[in-house]
Amino acid sequence: MKRYKLLEPDEVEPGAVLFEEVRDAQGTVLLPAGTTLTEALLKSLRRRGVEALCIVNDEISEAELAAERERWKNRLAVLFRRCESDTAGKTLMQYLIDYRVGELR
Amino acid sequence: MKPPVLSDVVKGIRDLPSPAPVVMELIRSFEQEDISTHAVADKVSRDQALAAKTLRIANSSFYGLQRKVTTIPQAITVLGFDSVRTLIVSAGVLDAFAKNRNDAFDISAFWRHSIGTALCSKFLARALNLNQDQAFISGLLHDIGRLVLATCFAEHYAQVIAYRNTHDCFTQDAERAVLGFEHGMVGKTLSEHWKFPPLVQRAISDHHQPLTQDLGGITSVVHVADAIVHGLDLGGDEHDLVPPLSDAVWKSLQVAPGMLAVVFRETENEFEGACRVLGA
């Protein structure tokens, strides 16, 4: 379960909101996160050959999100179970928790 | 059952099927400046399976090409020789090992972790302005020694995995306990035998403990990418364990949280597609 959906431009309806920025193959940002897509913007993205868009998924309930956040925190504690004494490991684990929770906010 | 000694490993590696000649030539060409891209394109094009696989990867969402490429020379024109070489070598090495299936070792899980590490290394390298092709190939092959051990010494390697599961320890510790040596050294021997450039050899042999000279370089990128991919849980192995992360290596890359979040997401988004096109 994710807070976003990955869709092809043809599958996206106008009014959908970008969960993350759109970049071209060179890594240049074409549209920032949070942009509400219009028919004109979608057309321009198709013309530039963009193949996938990361769209906000608004079909998940708050309770489902909270359960999923909790599941990830527990899972990351298991994955990092041998890194307790390891400063870098703990930092990476925290970044991953922030990333997962941020995706599920 | 007597565990293998180093000379057995060297013999095992010599007995492994090598990748196709054109792939071996490309591996050696990483060090050459005066390589004829024309001649390479010609040779790869004649190996239909390899050419088809290379084009399939080139046309996947990974490169975001606006128009499909249909021939190897066209792929070289659009993506550049370095990227196409990386693709061909990746496809060629996977094919060489695909002939050696064994039931005790989950080869698909192995390649999925390797492909995840290749992607993550590439995206980290891009964020850090390092060479993305070197990062990709090094990430893809970082654990190749493990595959050599599982292929050449299947029964012993089954013991390594049993030891790891019983003791809930790192695989490299289980290898040391059961075999007396670990996969980094085995990978180094293979990468020397196949004549990978020294930089890739070091990424393979030292990815658990990068040398001082490699701080901030590709070996460090692979060290961190390996940990990230375990942390992203891409393998979905219930007993998975994030390997130790070196403070010195972590600091040397100066990664910022915002930058890593992008690397995490790109790696996850490209992962299934990359596994599919590479056939893992």
Side-chain angles (χ1 to χ4, degrees), chain B residues 28-62:
Chain B
R28 286 192 293 273
S29 81
F30 280 115
E31 298 274 272
Q32 292 166 14
E33 307 243 314
D34 58 341
I35 177 145
S36 156
T37 58
H38 207 74
V40 168
D42 196 43
K43 278 181 203 161
V44 175
S45 304
R46 263 183 261 156
D47 184 334
Q48 285 187 15
L50 186 63
K53 195 164 190 177
T54 305
L55 292 172
R56 208 157 57 231
I57 306 170
N59 285 320
S60 67
S61 68
F62 196 46

Short mmCIF file of all heavy atoms in Angstrom, two decimals, chain B residues 28-62:
data_model
loop_
_atom_site.label_atom_id
_atom_site.label_comp_id
_atom_site.label_asym_id
_atom_site.label_seq_id
_atom_site.Cartn_x
_atom_site.Cartn_y
_atom_site.Cartn_z
N ARG B 28 36.91 -6.22 -20.92
CA ARG B 28 38.31 -5.76 -21.00
C ARG B 28 38.40 -4.34 -21.54
O ARG B 28 39.32 -3.60 -21.21
CB ARG B 28 39.12 -6.72 -21.87
CG ARG B 28 39.42 -8.04 -21.17
CD ARG B 28 40.46 -8.85 -21.93
NE ARG B 28 39.96 -9.31 -23.21
CZ ARG B 28 39.28 -10.45 -23.37
NH1 ARG B 28 39.05 -11.23 -22.35
NH2 ARG B 28 38.85 -10.79 -24.56
N SER B 29 37.41 -3.94 -22.35
CA SER B 29 37.49 -2.62 -22.99
C SER B 29 37.24 -1.47 -22.03
O SER B 29 37.44 -0.32 -22.38
CB SER B 29 36.48 -2.54 -24.14
OG SER B 29 35.19 -2.25 -23.63
N PHE B 30 36.79 -1.77 -20.79
CA PHE B 30 36.57 -0.68 -19.83
C PHE B 30 37.85 0.14 -19.66
O PHE B 30 37.81 1.30 -19.31
CB PHE B 30 36.14 -1.25 -18.47
CG PHE B 30 34.68 -1.62 -18.40
CD1 PHE B 30 34.30 -2.94 -18.23
CD2 PHE B 30 33.70 -0.65 -18.50
CE1 PHE B 30 32.95 -3.29 -18.15
CE2 PHE B 30 32.35 -0.99 -18.41
CZ PHE B 30 31.98 -2.31 -18.24
N GLU B 31 39.00 -0.52 -19.87
CA GLU B 31 40.28 0.14 -19.67
C GLU B 31 40.84 0.76 -20.95
O GLU B 31 41.83 1.47 -20.91
CB GLU B 31 41.31 -0.88 -19.16
CG GLU B 31 40.93 -1.49 -17.84
CD GLU B 31 41.38 -0.64 -16.68
OE1 GLU B 31 42.52 -0.83 -16.24
OE2 GLU B 31 40.62 0.23 -16.24
N GLN B 32 40.23 0.44 -22.09
CA GLN B 32 40.80 0.90 -23.36
C GLN B 32 40.16 2.21 -23.80
O GLN B 32 38.98 2.41 -23.62
CB GLN B 32 40.55 -0.13 -24.48
CG GLN B 32 41.29 -1.42 -24.30
CD GLN B 32 40.74 -2.50 -25.23
OE1 GLN B 32 40.00 -2.21 -26.17
NE2 GLN B 32 41.10 -3.73 -24.95
N GLU B 33 40.97 3.04 -24.41
CA GLU B 33 40.44 4.31 -24.90
C GLU B 33 40.07 4.21 -26.38
O GLU B 33 39.18 4.89 -26.84
CB GLU B 33 41.51 5.40 -24.72
CG GLU B 33 42.04 5.46 -23.30
CD GLU B 33 41.73 6.78 -22.65
OE1 GLU B 33 41.96 7.81 -23.31
OE2 GLU B 33 41.27 6.78 -21.49
N ASP B 34 40.79 3.35 -27.10
CA ASP B 34 40.69 3.37 -28.56
C ASP B 34 39.81 2.25 -29.09
O ASP B 34 40.10 1.62 -30.07
CB ASP B 34 42.10 3.23 -29.18
CG ASP B 34 42.77 1.94 -28.71
OD1 ASP B 34 42.33 1.38 -27.69
OD2 ASP B 34 43.72 1.50 -29.39
N ILE B 35 38.71 1.99 -28.38
CA ILE B 35 37.86 0.88 -28.82
C ILE B 35 36.99 1.31 -30.00
O ILE B 35 36.48 2.44 -30.02
CB ILE B 35 37.01 0.36 -27.66
CG1 ILE B 35 36.08 -0.75 -28.13
CG2 ILE B 35 36.22 1.47 -27.00
CD1 ILE B 35 35.89 -1.80 -27.10
N SER B 36 36.82 0.41 -30.97
CA SER B 36 36.00 0.72 -32.13
C SER B 36 34.54 0.39 -31.83
O SER B 36 34.17 -0.77 -31.74
CB SER B 36 36.49 -0.08 -33.34
OG SER B 36 35.41 -0.21 -34.26
N THR B 37 33.73 1.41 -31.64
CA THR B 37 32.33 1.17 -31.30
C THR B 37 31.62 0.48 -32.48
O THR B 37 30.71 -0.29 -32.29
CB THR B 37 31.59 2.48 -30.98
OG1 THR B 37 31.69 3.34 -32.09
CG2 THR B 37 32.20 3.16 -29.78
N HIS B 38 32.14 0.76 -33.66
CA HIS B 38 31.59 0.17 -34.87
C HIS B 38 31.73 -1.36 -34.83
O HIS B 38 30.76 -2.09 -35.06
CB HIS B 38 32.38 0.73 -36.05
CG HIS B 38 31.60 0.74 -37.30
ND1 HIS B 38 30.59 1.64 -37.52
CD2 HIS B 38 31.67 -0.06 -38.40
CE1 HIS B 38 30.07 1.40 -38.70
NE2 HIS B 38 30.71 0.38 -39.25
N ALA B 39 32.94 -1.81 -34.53
CA ALA B 39 33.21 -3.25 -34.49
C ALA B 39 32.39 -3.92 -33.39
O ALA B 39 31.86 -5.02 -33.58
CB ALA B 39 34.71 -3.48 -34.25
N VAL B 40 32.27 -3.24 -32.25
CA VAL B 40 31.49 -3.80 -31.14
C VAL B 40 30.03 -3.94 -31.54
O VAL B 40 29.41 -5.00 -31.36
CB VAL B 40 31.61 -2.90 -29.88
CG1 VAL B 40 30.59 -3.33 -28.84
CG2 VAL B 40 33.01 -2.97 -29.32
N ALA B 41 29.48 -2.89 -32.12
CA ALA B 41 28.08 -2.90 -32.54
C ALA B 41 27.83 -4.07 -33.50
O ALA B 41 26.84 -4.78 -33.40
CB ALA B 41 27.72 -1.58 -33.21
N ASP B 42 28.78 -4.26 -34.39
CA ASP B 42 28.67 -5.33 -35.37
C ASP B 42 28.63 -6.70 -34.69
O ASP B 42 27.78 -7.54 -34.98
CB ASP B 42 29.87 -5.23 -36.31
CG ASP B 42 29.64 -6.03 -37.57
OD1 ASP B 42 28.52 -5.94 -38.10
OD2 ASP B 42 30.57 -6.76 -37.98
N LYS B 43 29.56 -6.93 -33.75
CA LYS B 43 29.63 -8.23 -33.08
C LYS B 43 28.40 -8.50 -32.22
O LYS B 43 27.88 -9.61 -32.21
CB LYS B 43 30.89 -8.29 -32.20
CG LYS B 43 32.13 -8.62 -32.98
CD LYS B 43 33.33 -8.69 -32.07
CE LYS B 43 34.60 -8.46 -32.88
NZ LYS B 43 35.72 -8.07 -32.05
N VAL B 44 27.97 -7.47 -31.49
CA VAL B 44 26.80 -7.67 -30.62
C VAL B 44 25.56 -7.95 -31.48
O VAL B 44 24.75 -8.81 -31.16
CB VAL B 44 26.58 -6.44 -29.71
CG1 VAL B 44 25.30 -6.60 -28.90
CG2 VAL B 44 27.77 -6.26 -28.79
N SER B 45 25.45 -7.23 -32.58
CA SER B 45 24.28 -7.39 -33.45
C SER B 45 24.18 -8.83 -33.96
O SER B 45 23.08 -9.33 -34.22
CB SER B 45 24.34 -6.43 -34.64
OG SER B 45 24.47 -5.11 -34.16
N ARG B 46 25.34 -9.48 -34.12
CA ARG B 46 25.31 -10.86 -34.65
C ARG B 46 24.86 -11.87 -33.60
O ARG B 46 24.47 -12.97 -33.93
CB ARG B 46 26.69 -11.22 -35.20
CG ARG B 46 26.73 -11.00 -36.71
CD ARG B 46 28.05 -11.43 -37.28
NE ARG B 46 28.91 -10.28 -37.46
CZ ARG B 46 30.24 -10.34 -37.51
NH1 ARG B 46 30.86 -11.49 -37.32
NH2 ARG B 46 30.94 -9.26 -37.71
N ASP B 47 24.97 -11.51 -32.32
CA ASP B 47 24.46 -12.39 -31.25
C ASP B 47 23.02 -11.97 -30.97
O ASP B 47 22.75 -11.06 -30.19
CB ASP B 47 25.35 -12.22 -30.00
CG ASP B 47 24.95 -13.17 -28.87
OD1 ASP B 47 23.77 -13.60 -28.82
OD2 ASP B 47 25.82 -13.49 -28.05
N GLN B 48 22.09 -12.67 -31.64
CA GLN B 48 20.71 -12.17 -31.64
C GLN B 48 20.08 -12.08 -30.26
O GLN B 48 19.41 -11.11 -29.93
CB GLN B 48 19.84 -13.06 -32.54
CG GLN B 48 20.09 -12.80 -34.00
CD GLN B 48 19.11 -13.55 -34.88
OE1 GLN B 48 18.09 -14.03 -34.40
NE2 GLN B 48 19.41 -13.63 -36.16
N ALA B 49 20.33 -13.11 -29.43
CA ALA B 49 19.71 -13.12 -28.10
C ALA B 49 20.24 -11.94 -27.27
O ALA B 49 19.48 -11.23 -26.62
CB ALA B 49 20.01 -14.44 -27.39
N LEU B 50 21.54 -11.74 -27.35
CA LEU B 50 22.16 -10.66 -26.57
C LEU B 50 21.70 -9.30 -27.07
O LEU B 50 21.38 -8.40 -26.29
CB LEU B 50 23.70 -10.79 -26.68
CG LEU B 50 24.52 -9.85 -25.83
CD1 LEU B 50 24.27 -10.10 -24.35
CD2 LEU B 50 26.01 -10.02 -26.14
N ALA B 51 21.64 -9.15 -28.40
CA ALA B 51 21.21 -7.88 -28.98
C ALA B 51 19.76 -7.58 -28.57
O ALA B 51 19.43 -6.46 -28.17
CB ALA B 51 21.34 -7.93 -30.50
N ALA B 52 18.91 -8.62 -28.62
CA ALA B 52 17.50 -8.42 -28.29
C ALA B 52 17.36 -8.00 -26.83
O ALA B 52 16.60 -7.08 -26.50
CB ALA B 52 16.71 -9.70 -28.55
N LYS B 53 18.11 -8.65 -25.96
CA LYS B 53 18.02 -8.33 -24.53
C LYS B 53 18.52 -6.91 -24.27
O LYS B 53 17.91 -6.15 -23.51
CB LYS B 53 18.86 -9.34 -23.74
CG LYS B 53 18.55 -9.33 -22.26
CD LYS B 53 19.10 -10.58 -21.58
CE LYS B 53 18.57 -10.68 -20.17
NZ LYS B 53 19.02 -11.89 -19.49
N THR B 54 19.61 -6.55 -24.93
CA THR B 54 20.17 -5.20 -24.76
C THR B 54 19.15 -4.15 -25.19
O THR B 54 18.94 -3.15 -24.50
CB THR B 54 21.46 -5.07 -25.59
OG1 THR B 54 22.36 -6.11 -25.20
CG2 THR B 54 22.12 -3.72 -25.37
N LEU B 55 18.50 -4.39 -26.32
CA LEU B 55 17.52 -3.42 -26.82
C LEU B 55 16.30 -3.35 -25.91
O LEU B 55 15.72 -2.28 -25.71
CB LEU B 55 17.10 -3.78 -28.25
CG LEU B 55 18.21 -3.61 -29.30
CD1 LEU B 55 17.78 -4.18 -30.64
CD2 LEU B 55 18.58 -2.13 -29.45
N ARG B 56 15.93 -4.51 -25.34
CA ARG B 56 14.79 -4.53 -24.44
C ARG B 56 15.08 -3.64 -23.22
O ARG B 56 14.23 -2.88 -22.77
CB ARG B 56 14.50 -5.97 -24.00
CG ARG B 56 13.07 -6.22 -23.64
CD ARG B 56 12.69 -7.68 -23.76
NE ARG B 56 13.51 -8.55 -22.95
CZ ARG B 56 14.12 -9.64 -23.38
NH1 ARG B 56 14.02 -9.99 -24.64
NH2 ARG B 56 14.84 -10.38 -22.58
N ILE B 57 16.30 -3.73 -22.69
CA ILE B 57 16.65 -2.90 -21.53
C ILE B 57 16.70 -1.42 -21.94
O ILE B 57 16.18 -0.55 -21.26
CB ILE B 57 18.02 -3.31 -20.93
CG1 ILE B 57 18.04 -4.81 -20.62
CG2 ILE B 57 18.31 -2.50 -19.68
CD1 ILE B 57 19.41 -5.34 -20.26
N ALA B 58 17.31 -1.17 -23.12
CA ALA B 58 17.45 0.22 -23.57
C ALA B 58 16.08 0.87 -23.74
O ALA B 58 15.91 2.06 -23.47
CB ALA B 58 18.22 0.26 -24.89
N ASN B 59 15.10 0.08 -24.15
CA ASN B 59 13.76 0.62 -24.41
C ASN B 59 12.85 0.59 -23.18
O ASN B 59 11.70 1.01 -23.24
CB ASN B 59 13.08 -0.16 -25.54
CG ASN B 59 13.65 0.20 -26.89
OD1 ASN B 59 13.94 1.37 -27.15
ND2 ASN B 59 13.85 -0.79 -27.74
N SER B 60 13.35 0.08 -22.06
CA SER B 60 12.52 0.04 -20.85
C SER B 60 12.42 1.45 -20.28
O SER B 60 13.14 2.36 -20.70
CB SER B 60 13.13 -0.91 -19.83
OG SER B 60 14.36 -0.38 -19.38
N SER B 61 11.56 1.62 -19.30
CA SER B 61 11.31 2.96 -18.76
C SER B 61 12.56 3.54 -18.12
O SER B 61 12.66 4.73 -17.87
CB SER B 61 10.21 2.88 -17.70
OG SER B 61 10.70 2.17 -16.58
N PHE B 62 13.55 2.67 -17.87
CA PHE B 62 14.78 3.05 -17.21
C PHE B 62 15.45 4.27 -17.85
O PHE B 62 15.95 5.16 -17.19
CB PHE B 62 15.71 1.84 -17.27
CG PHE B 62 16.84 1.92 -16.32
CD1 PHE B 62 16.65 2.30 -15.02
CD2 PHE B 62 18.11 1.59 -16.74
CE1 PHE B 62 17.71 2.36 -14.14
CE2 PHE B 62 19.17 1.64 -15.87
CZ PHE B 62 18.97 2.03 -14.56
#
